[in-house]
Short mmCIF file of all heavy atoms in Angstrom, two decimals:
data_model
loop_
_atom_site.label_atom_id
_atom_site.label_comp_id
_atom_site.label_asym_id
_atom_site.label_seq_id
_atom_site.Cartn_x
_atom_site.Cartn_y
_atom_site.Cartn_z
N LEU V 198 -46.62 2.39 37.42
CA LEU V 198 -47.65 2.35 36.38
C LEU V 198 -48.00 0.92 36.01
O LEU V 198 -49.16 0.58 35.77
CB LEU V 198 -47.16 3.10 35.13
CG LEU V 198 -47.22 4.62 35.22
CD1 LEU V 198 -46.38 5.26 34.14
CD2 LEU V 198 -48.68 5.09 35.12
N SER V 204 -54.61 -2.17 32.43
CA SER V 204 -55.14 -1.05 31.63
C SER V 204 -54.16 -0.76 30.51
O SER V 204 -52.95 -0.70 30.72
CB SER V 204 -55.32 0.18 32.54
OG SER V 204 -54.69 1.30 31.96
N LYS V 205 -54.71 -0.56 29.31
CA LYS V 205 -53.85 -0.35 28.13
C LYS V 205 -52.98 0.89 28.29
O LYS V 205 -51.79 0.88 27.97
CB LYS V 205 -54.73 -0.18 26.87
CG LYS V 205 -55.18 -1.49 26.29
CD LYS V 205 -54.90 -1.51 24.78
CE LYS V 205 -55.19 -2.89 24.19
NZ LYS V 205 -56.64 -3.27 24.35
N ALA V 206 -53.60 1.98 28.80
CA ALA V 206 -52.87 3.23 28.92
C ALA V 206 -51.72 3.08 29.91
O ALA V 206 -50.59 3.50 29.65
CB ALA V 206 -53.81 4.35 29.36
N ALA V 207 -52.02 2.46 31.07
CA ALA V 207 -50.98 2.29 32.08
C ALA V 207 -49.87 1.39 31.53
O ALA V 207 -48.69 1.62 31.76
CB ALA V 207 -51.57 1.68 33.35
N TRP V 208 -50.25 0.39 30.77
CA TRP V 208 -49.26 -0.52 30.19
C TRP V 208 -48.31 0.24 29.27
O TRP V 208 -47.09 0.14 29.39
CB TRP V 208 -49.94 -1.64 29.40
CG TRP V 208 -48.99 -2.70 28.93
CD1 TRP V 208 -48.66 -3.84 29.59
CD2 TRP V 208 -48.26 -2.71 27.68
NE1 TRP V 208 -47.75 -4.56 28.85
CE2 TRP V 208 -47.48 -3.90 27.69
CE3 TRP V 208 -48.16 -1.84 26.61
CZ2 TRP V 208 -46.63 -4.25 26.63
CZ3 TRP V 208 -47.30 -2.17 25.55
CH2 TRP V 208 -46.55 -3.37 25.57
N ALA V 209 -48.90 1.04 28.39
CA ALA V 209 -48.07 1.77 27.42
C ALA V 209 -47.17 2.77 28.15
O ALA V 209 -45.97 2.85 27.88
CB ALA V 209 -48.96 2.49 26.41
N ALA V 210 -47.75 3.52 29.10
CA ALA V 210 -46.95 4.52 29.81
C ALA V 210 -45.86 3.84 30.62
O ALA V 210 -44.70 4.26 30.63
CB ALA V 210 -47.85 5.36 30.71
N GLY V 211 -46.24 2.76 31.31
CA GLY V 211 -45.26 2.05 32.14
C GLY V 211 -44.14 1.46 31.30
O GLY V 211 -42.96 1.56 31.65
#
Side-chain angles (χ1 to χ4, degrees):
Chain V
L198 282 164
S204 129
K205 278 229 173 62
W208 187 92

